[in-house]
Amino acid sequence: MRRLLPCLCTLLLLASCAQPAKPEEAQFFAMDTVMAVTAYGSRAADCVTAVEQQVNHLDALWSRTRADSEISQINLHAGDATAADLSPETARLLQNAADAYEHSGGAFNPLMAPIMDAWGFTKDAYRVPSREELTSLLPLTVDLPVLGYDSPDFTHATASLPHSGQELDLGGIAKGQAAAMLMDVFRGHDITSALLALGGNITAVGTKPDGSPWTVAVKDPRNTDEYLCVFPLTDRTCATSGGYERFFTAAEAGVEGDATLYHHIIDPQTGYPAESGLASVTVVSDDPLLTDIYSTACYVMGAEAALDRWSRSDGDFAEFDLILVTDENHVYVTEGLEQNFDFRGEQNGYTYEIIRR
Ligand code: AMP
Ligand code: MG
C-alpha cells in the first residue's frame, strides 16, 4: 500500500497534466451591451447556460425600451396612481437604487430617463436641449418611486411613480445587481474559477484554474485601444464609468462646426453631462452592486468627494478601491490596489500616485 500511494499520486498528477482545464465560454448581447462569461469546472457548461438565461430574464424585467418589462409598466403609469406588480428581483433593484440615491447624496439618481431622452441617448437621436428644457425636467428626478411589499424578501411587491412624466433608468445599477445575483448561479454550480463581464463590470470568481489571479485592464479614456493599467483581481468586481463610453459631438446633433462633447453620465443637479474633472472612474470591491453604483456616482461627484468617501469606507461606507483618471492626465490609485499594480500610462503622458488613508 505504501508503495502504491506515490504511484497513485503520480498518476493523478499525470492525469491533471494531460487534461488542461478547458473553459466553457459564452458571449451575448443584453442590457444594451456585450456580456461574456468564462467558467471552469465539471459543471461549467450548465453554469454558462444558466448565466445567459438569468441575464436575459433580468433584462426582460428591467429594460426600459421593452414595453412589457416591469420597469416599463411602472414608467407607463407614472402619476396615474396605478401601482405595477413587481417580481422580488425588480423590487430589490428599486430598493437598492433608492439606497444608492441616499448614500451618494443624490449623485446616483435612478430617475434620469427624461433627461437621457432629452439628450437623445435613448434612441441614438442626439440633440442638445436648451437650459430651459433641462431645468423644466429636473423636478421629475426628485421624488423616488413608492415601493410596497409584504415582507423583507419582497413578496407581493408593487411600485408607482408619483408624477406624470417621471421615468426610471436603471442603466447605472442593473448590471451590478445582475452580477450580484449571478454569484448564486456560480456557487450553485460549484464553480470556483470564472470571469464574468457584464459590459464594463468585470467580476472575478476565485482565481484562474492554475491558482493565479485573474488580471484586468483599465482602458486609457483618451486612447481606448490602449491600456492605462493592469492589475490582479480575485473574488472581486471592477467597474469603470467614463464619458468616453457613450458620447456625441454638438456637430453630430446638428450644431454646425461645434465639437463640444456630450456624454451619458448626467449630473442630477444640472441635467448636463457631469463635468467633475474626471475622465474615468474605476471602482473595485467584493460587492458587484456597490461597484456599479459607485463608479457612476463617483464620476458625478469628482475626485475630492470620491476619495473622501473612500477614506471613510471602513467606517460608514463599505470597503472599496478607486482608480480615478483626471482630465489633467493624473491617476489616483487607492492603496488596496498597490500590490502588482502595473501602470502603463507614462508613454501617453499620464502620471499616477498611490493614495493612502
Ligand atoms: P454606468 O455605465 O454604470 O456609469 O451607467 C451609466 C448609465 O446610467 C447611463 O447610460 C444612464 O442610463 C444612467 N445614468 C446617467 N446618469 C446617471 C446618474 N447620475 N445616476 C444614475 N444613473 C445615471
Ligand atoms: Mg454604474
Side-chain angles (χ1 to χ4, degrees), residues 172 200 239-245 264-265 279-283 291-297 299:
T240 300
S241 291
Y244 69 88
E245 289 175 314
H264 70 136
I265 303 175
S280 79
V281 171
T282 299
V283 178
T291 307
D292 196 8
I293 292 164
Y294 272 13
S295 64
T296 313
Y299 187 86

